[in-house]
């Protein structure tokens, strides 16, 4: 089916060139999940200092668990499913000869559910729990609580969502840096470009690789001027359209 939203890319990378896609909360918005910094978003409802730092967890773990239990339950019970943008990313990955690595800042599991391969959850996922004492990671789809006991080390009070909070080191940075260093095309989808190190990837790519850079977003992000090309509109329209236009070049 032709894309409902035709779109002409400025530059088509060589078919043997690899692609890195960075995604943020905007790609999951039309699936029914909230973004952080848009009007009415998560950070307008709760202070990040109260729920998204290791200090917050040390001070009030019950509150932090309630925040993530609520988001996990919303995903589970509100029939949240991957949308056309998540599926378009998979389509590109299946067809692009040079390979596509997907780096997501999102802690939801919509890319996984869409069938994305070579997927890096740089901020972890709320579908896993991690022990603060021994670092054991286990799947967790239901609620977490301070009374949970780690199956590996047997301690209580240490199980936390396996997500990266402010002040913590994002995950898999070596793998991400290697993918960015080699890529021919960097595509940023639905992220405000306000949280580092992800916000700096576009600059890293321009410095280390002779890569083309594209922003796909509802509106210009904080880092919009850093990108060579941009297309604006809802992710469910512009991502499938952009992917179709790349695939037509093959
Ligand atoms: C649509 C759409 C639609 C809407 N279609 N688009 C001072 C200067 C520089 C850096 C720092 C500083 N002080 C502290 C730092 C470091 C700090 C940081 O960046 N702070 C900034 C706030 C300044 N970063 C860290 O602490 C990170 N760690 C770190 O830096 O370690 C040291 C290190 C050193 C060297 C190398 C590597 C590391 C850790 C950051 C952890 C972020 N954690 C969170 C919470 C995770 C768990 C959870 O989800 O609860 O991650 S914060 C939150 O922001 C979440 C997100 O992943 C992240 C990014 O948000 P995102 O995805 O961009 O969402 P929004 O809401 O901001 O934007 C949505 C976008 O979608 C918008 O643009 C919309 O327009 C668009 N949109 N609808 C298309 N339908």
């Amino acid at each position: 089916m032709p894309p409902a939203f035709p779109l002409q890319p400025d530059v088509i990378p060589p078919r043997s060139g690899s692609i890195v896609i960075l995604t943020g909360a905007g790609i999951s918005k039309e699936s029914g999940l909230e973004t952080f910094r848009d009007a009415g978003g998560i950070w307008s409802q709760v202070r990040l200092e109260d729920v998204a730092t290791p200090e917050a967890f040390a001070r009030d773990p019950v509150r932090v668990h309630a925040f993530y239990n609520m988001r996990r339950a919303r995903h589970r019970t509100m029939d949240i499913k991957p949308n056309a943008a998540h599926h378009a990313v998979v389509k590109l990955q299946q067809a692009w000869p040079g390979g596509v690595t997907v780096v997501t800042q999102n802690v939801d599991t919509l890319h996984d559910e869409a069938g994305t391969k070579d997927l890096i959850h740089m901020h972890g996922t709320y579908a896993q729990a991690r022990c603060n004492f021994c670092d054991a990671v286990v799947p967790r789809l239901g609620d977490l609580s301070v009374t949970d006991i780690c199956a590996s080390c047997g301690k209580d009070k240490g199980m936390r969502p396996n997500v990266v909070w402010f002040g913590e080191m994002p995950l898999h940075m070596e793998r991400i840096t290697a993918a960015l260093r080699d890529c021919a095309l960097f595509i940023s989808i639905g992220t405000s470009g306000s949280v580092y190190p992800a916000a700096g990837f576009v600059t890293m790519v321009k410095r280390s690789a002779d890569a083309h850079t594209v922003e796909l977003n509802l509106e210009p992000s904080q880092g919009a001027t850093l990108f060579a090309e941009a297309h604006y509109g809802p992710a469910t329209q512009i991502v499938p359209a952009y992917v179709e236009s790349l695939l037509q070049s093959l």
Side-chain angles (χ1 to χ4, degrees):
M1 202 167 48
F5 196 81
L7 183 157
Q8 186 56 50
D10 295 348
V11 173
I12 302 285
R15 49 188 290 140
S16 58
S18 64
I19 298 175
V20 175
I21 298 179
L22 171 70
T23 67
I27 197 171
S28 298
K29 171 78 177 170
E30 291 161 86
S31 291
L33 296 178
E34 294 169 302
T35 61
F36 293 91
R37 296 169 184 82
D38 293 315
I42 293 175
W43 296 152
S44 71
Q45 302 162 35
V46 283
R47 279 167 21 105
L48 67 87
E49 295 83 357
D50 291 336
V51 293
T53 67
E55 293 78 16
F57 186 68
R59 207 168 44 237
D60 192 349
V62 172
R63 178 166 191 183
V64 174
H65 280 314
F67 173 67
Y68 285 96
N69 288 344
M70 181 267 294
R71 287 171 62 196
R72 233 183 267 110
R74 185 186 166 106
H75 190 139
R76 219 175 38 236
T77 59
M78 287 188 62
D79 201 27
I80 304 287
K81 295 275 187 295
N83 64 45
H86 298 99
H87 291 301
V89 166
V90 175
K91 188 172 179 184
L92 181 63
Q93 203 166 43
Q94 287 171 346
W96 189 257
V100 178
T101 299
V102 180
V103 180
T104 187
Q105 298 168 85
N106 299 342
V107 300
D108 68 53
T109 51
L110 293 176
H111 281 300
D112 312 67
E113 290 166 43
T116 310
K117 310 279 183 233
D118 199 4
L119 171 65
I120 303 175
H121 272 282
M122 67 175 289
H123 289 166
T125 165
Y126 57 36
Q128 292 175 338
R130 185 173 89 237
C131 175
N132 246 345
F133 298 111
C134 73
D135 271 344
V137 173
V138 290
R140 178 56 72 110
L141 299 178
D143 286 357
L144 262 171
S145 104
V146 285
T147 57
D148 284 321
I149 292 172
C150 174
S152 291
C153 70
K155 292 187 179 160
D156 66 355
K157 299 191 178 66
M159 296 307 283
R160 54 167 281 183
N162 187 27
V163 302
V164 177
W165 289 321
F166 284 102
E168 296 185 319
M169 183 63 85
L171 308 174
H172 314 296
M173 282 307 295
E174 275 186 27
R175 212 175 128 203
I176 295 171
T177 310
L180 292 170
R181 200 186 300 122
D182 289 344
C183 74
L185 173 63
F186 174 71
I187 309 169
S188 173
I189 303 174
T191 174
S192 60
S194 52
V195 176
Y196 288 83
F201 289 172
V202 60
T203 309
M204 282 171 63
V205 159
K206 290 198 298 188
R207 272 202 206 120
S208 63
D210 186 19
H212 185 56
T213 55
V214 178
E215 167 163 279
L216 304 177
N217 206 330
L218 190 59
E219 56 191 23
S221 72
Q222 204 161 298
T225 55
L226 299 169
F227 290 86
E229 177 180 342
H231 300 277
Y232 296 113
T236 55
Q237 293 183 22
I238 54 170
V239 178
Y242 182 75
V243 165
E244 282 310 320
S245 63
L246 283 184
L247 294 182
Q248 275 169 18
S249 73
L250 291 178

